[in-house]
Amino acid sequence: MSLLMGLRRLPGRQLQMSARWRMYSSAKKHDTPVMEVLGSRYATDEWTNATPAILDKTGRNLLHQESHPLAILKNLIFREFPDFAYYDALNPVVTTYQNFDSLGFAKDHPGRARTDTYYVNESTLLRTHTSAHQRQLLEAGVAGDTHLLAQAKNRLAAPNNERFLVAADVYRRDEIDASHYPAFHQMEGVCTFTHDELRRAQAPELLNATQLTDSTVIGASNPVQAEHSAEDVALVAAHMKRTMNNM
């Protein structure tokens, strides 16, 4: 599980099919084949490498099977964050912008390669991490996107996505071994603060509640963002560590 905290500013012939995905090709010889995933259709191209075996793993909804270990663990973590909104049913098909560009991935980052990621087409893929939804959910809160906000559980605790958890299935082109599988699950947390909220969270009784033995290293590979002061960074880091260590 990862936790991010920061300061906020104010019709054709069917070829193959399963219960969750279908591939179509038109009767017209030169039309582009279309892939359907979870009810939505996408044009395919030379980037398409999502296989039937992988597509068939979408929509299994293991997180919603009450007695499944993943669902049990998800609910235990959700209960640790009662003032967060919860998302556990976001579509696994995202854009390359959501999955990479919005998070600052370099254009030549190896994670973008077709050998690492399952592409539906050049601009669309199966998410490789829950972070693909960070900007989407933050912007939904700012814009008041009622369609997306309505998907949240415990929405009233953070009606504008000031704080949220995302649990989801993710997909990577990993070789299967004892610790790797191409479909797995992640959970991610995001918490934003105003300056006043952040300083109120540093009350002495809270700071003394947990002893932090780890340290944060700030340097070239983990720089401070220009819009944040060193004090801001230290307060956010302390809050995040205390939150995780108190679980």
Side-chain angles (χ1 to χ4, degrees):
M1 175 180 175
S2 62
L3 186 68
L4 172 72
M5 297 189 175
L7 296 174
R8 70 171 180 271
R9 299 172 178 169
L10 300 179
R13 178 173 59 87
Q14 183 173 306
L15 298 179
Q16 296 174 304
M17 90 176 181
S18 74
R20 292 177 285 274
W21 72 276
R22 295 177 174 84
M23 180 76 84
Y24 298 89
S25 69
S26 170
K28 295 182 179 180
K29 183 176 180 180
H30 300 293
D31 281 0
T32 303
V34 174
M35 177 183 293
E36 181 179 312
V37 185
L38 299 177
S40 295
R41 293 188 178 189
Y42 306 89
T44 60
D45 57 25
E46 66 276 8
W47 280 75
T48 304
N49 65 354
T51 64
I54 291 300
L55 292 172
D56 201 41
K57 298 183 186 304
T58 63
R60 293 181 299 170
N61 297 322
L62 300 182
L63 290 172
H64 302 155
Q65 297 178 21
E66 186 174 349
S67 298
H68 195 283
L70 287 170
I72 294 171
L73 180 59
K74 176 201 72 174
N75 289 328
L76 286 171
I77 297 174
F78 279 179
R79 285 198 289 270
E80 290 288 329
F81 295 86
D83 57 344
F84 280 53
Y86 312 139
Y87 291 87
D88 63 1
L90 296 173
N91 195 312
V93 180
V94 299
T95 64
T96 53
Y97 175 81
Q98 290 173 313
N99 201 80
F100 298 122
D101 299 298
S102 72
L103 299 167
F105 279 69
K107 292 296 183 182
D108 60 352
H109 191 281
R112 294 178 182 262
R114 294 177 71 250
T115 54
D116 283 35
T117 295
Y118 288 106
Y119 282 88
V120 175
N121 55 46
E122 185 177 8
S123 62
T124 313
L125 51 89
L126 297 180
R127 63 182 164 225
T128 64
H129 45 202
T130 50
S131 302
H133 299 290
Q134 278 184 15
R135 181 162 184 157
Q136 174 191 22
L137 292 174
L138 288 169
E139 289 181 340
V142 172
D145 182 345
T146 55
H147 174 73
L148 192 55
L149 293 172
Q151 298 182 43
K153 299 177 179 177
N154 203 38
R155 177 184 173 185
L156 293 180
N160 295 310
N161 279 349
E162 305 95 318
R163 300 165 298 278
F164 58 83
L165 298 177
V166 178
D169 48 328
V170 298
Y171 302 86
R172 296 181 188 175
R173 294 194 69 183
D174 287 336
E175 293 290 336
I176 298 175
D177 59 27
S179 59
H180 294 86
Y181 193 70
F184 55 103
H185 289 75
Q186 287 185 341
M187 181 178 288
E188 176 149 335
V190 172
C191 180
T192 63
F193 312 85
T194 64
H195 286 276
D196 288 342
E197 288 171 341
L198 185 57
R199 279 151 184 76
R200 286 197 299 271
Q202 309 305 314
E205 62 272 19
L206 294 176
L207 290 175
N208 295 330
T210 301
Q211 183 175 356
L212 303 177
T213 58
D214 50 345
S215 61
T216 300
V217 177
I218 302 297
S221 62
N222 187 35
V224 174
Q225 294 181 354
E227 56 268 27
H228 295 159
S229 69
E231 181 188 14
D232 291 335
V233 173
L235 290 173
V236 170
H239 189 287
M240 181 176 67
K241 293 172 185 176
R242 187 171 64 251
T243 299
M244 300 301 291
N245 289 341
N246 279 337
M247 288 182 63

